[in-house]
Amino acid sequence: MQPEFRYEDGKWLPKGHGSLANGVPRSVAGAVSALALSGGYSVRPREGRVVYFGRNRPEVHVCIGEDDRQVSRQQGVLTYQRGHWWLSNTGRRPIRVRRSQWLFANDAAIPLANGFTPLFVPGSGDREHLLEVYVTGPDGSQPLSRHDAETEVPRPHRLTPEERLILIVLGQRYLLHEPNAKPLTWQQAAEQLAELRPAAGWTKRKVEHRVAAVRDRLSRSGVPGLTREEVGEPVGNSLNDNLIKELVRSTTLVPPDLAALDPR
């Protein structure tokens, strides 16, 4: 490790350190910890500080994918600016952040929320390398256990009756719990909708426009992974896959909704 990378209050986390998903010991508010399989690093916040991660162990704070040449020698940087830690991609491969959001090398840095954030760097073949990041909250403590607290009820998204029917048709394989479920194609959805509601004049273009309107509305309300800019090219089924997973996760769509597919 080069001298300029060392901070007096920095702390090395050994290989085999427990997952940051379980929190970190009490620390200064805004401190950041980053951990990979090979070990990690923790440091207090200070304007302009950086934490490097990548494949080249001698020149980064956290070594990730050391034996995988698909990972860049310096894959990314955590930088403390304006009261937040920011994630930048400085490598050749994109970094996957929260669900299906991808951060590319030319993208603007994104702020990291307090608490635990897993980052994934795709490697050779099907390999994917995990970097755990934990930003300490304002009180400097771990999240409190809430064993007796009431469970928060999911908040379904509002859909019109027409939108609901379209999305039940489009996402029926998810509601059927099929492994590796994929959305129906626009043509398949239009054909089934025409059987269910013949008078509505369904075409694949009409289905596509209605679904795009739902994606746009949910994206503007804060749901990630519903725009081309977020998922990157090639888009394929990613946008509809993310949409349907969000609708299922939020209980907007549930398996009993499949009754709507019965023509009777």
Side-chain angles (χ1 to χ4, degrees):
M1 182 67 64
Q2 296 180 1
E4 60 266 33
F5 289 168
R6 295 177 178 158
Y7 300 116
E8 292 181 1
D9 55 355
K11 178 182 177 182
W12 300 104
L13 306 178
K15 180 178 181 180
H17 188 281
S19 172
L20 300 183
N22 299 319
V24 297
R26 176 173 287 276
S27 181
V28 173
V32 71
S33 299
L35 179 69
L37 288 176
S38 62
Y41 192 70
S42 179
V43 70
R44 296 184 176 195
R46 187 171 297 172
E47 188 70 18
R49 278 191 167 175
V50 294
V51 174
Y52 299 99
F53 61 92
R55 176 168 50 89
N56 191 358
R57 181 182 292 274
E59 297 185 1
V60 295
H61 294 96
V62 184
C63 184
I64 179 173
E66 188 170 17
D67 63 343
D68 192 338
R69 293 177 60 193
Q70 290 291 321
V71 178
S72 293
R73 285 169 289 186
Q74 186 190 104
Q75 179 64 52
V77 180
L78 306 177
T79 306
Y80 190 78
Q81 292 180 325
R82 307 187 301 279
H84 294 281
W85 285 98
W86 298 76
L87 169 67
S88 301
N89 186 346
T90 56
R92 295 180 180 273
R93 302 281 277 181
I95 299 172
R96 181 161 63 85
V97 188
R98 60 176 87 93
R99 300 181 191 169
S100 59
Q101 179 183 357
W102 291 92
L103 181 67
F104 292 83
N106 294 326
D107 291 344
I110 61 173
L112 294 173
N114 291 337
F116 177 71
T117 301
L119 307 176
F120 300 89
V121 179
S124 304
D126 293 331
R127 296 183 69 184
E128 198 169 44
H129 304 278
L130 169 64
L131 180 72
E132 298 184 350
V133 179
Y134 193 99
V135 178
T136 305
D139 63 356
S141 64
Q142 291 188 7
L144 297 175
S145 298
R146 306 188 67 184
H147 302 145
D148 299 327
E150 291 187 8
T151 302
E152 292 185 1
V153 178
R155 298 180 61 184
H157 300 285
R158 299 181 66 176
L159 301 174
T160 67
E162 181 184 75
E163 291 170 344
R164 178 173 296 278
L165 179 61
I166 294 171
L167 290 161
I168 292 169
V169 169
L170 192 70
Q172 59 189 272
R173 293 168 178 163
Y174 299 76
L175 298 176
L176 289 167
H177 307 296
E178 292 186 7
N180 302 314
K182 298 296 180 186
L184 267 61
T185 66
W186 299 128
Q187 185 62 42
Q188 289 171 329
E191 290 174 358
Q192 188 167 2
L193 285 163
E195 294 177 4
L196 295 170
R197 303 287 189 273
W202 293 106
T203 65
K204 64 179 184 180
R205 186 65 64 189
K206 180 177 180 179
V207 175
E208 183 178 358
H209 285 169
R210 296 291 191 276
V211 174
V214 176
R215 286 201 312 262
D216 180 66
R217 188 169 72 242
L218 267 60
S219 177
R220 285 187 280 107
S221 72
V223 177
L226 301 182
T227 65
R228 301 180 76 91
E229 292 74 21
E230 289 176 293
V231 303
E233 298 291 346
V235 172
N237 275 333
S238 297
L239 297 180
N240 285 343
D241 179 61
N242 293 342
L243 171 63
I244 296 168
K245 286 178 178 176
E246 169 62 25
L247 296 176
V248 172
R249 184 164 37 238
S250 64
T251 68
T252 306
L253 298 183
V254 293
D257 288 333
L258 289 168
L261 305 185
D262 186 347
R264 296 171 295 181

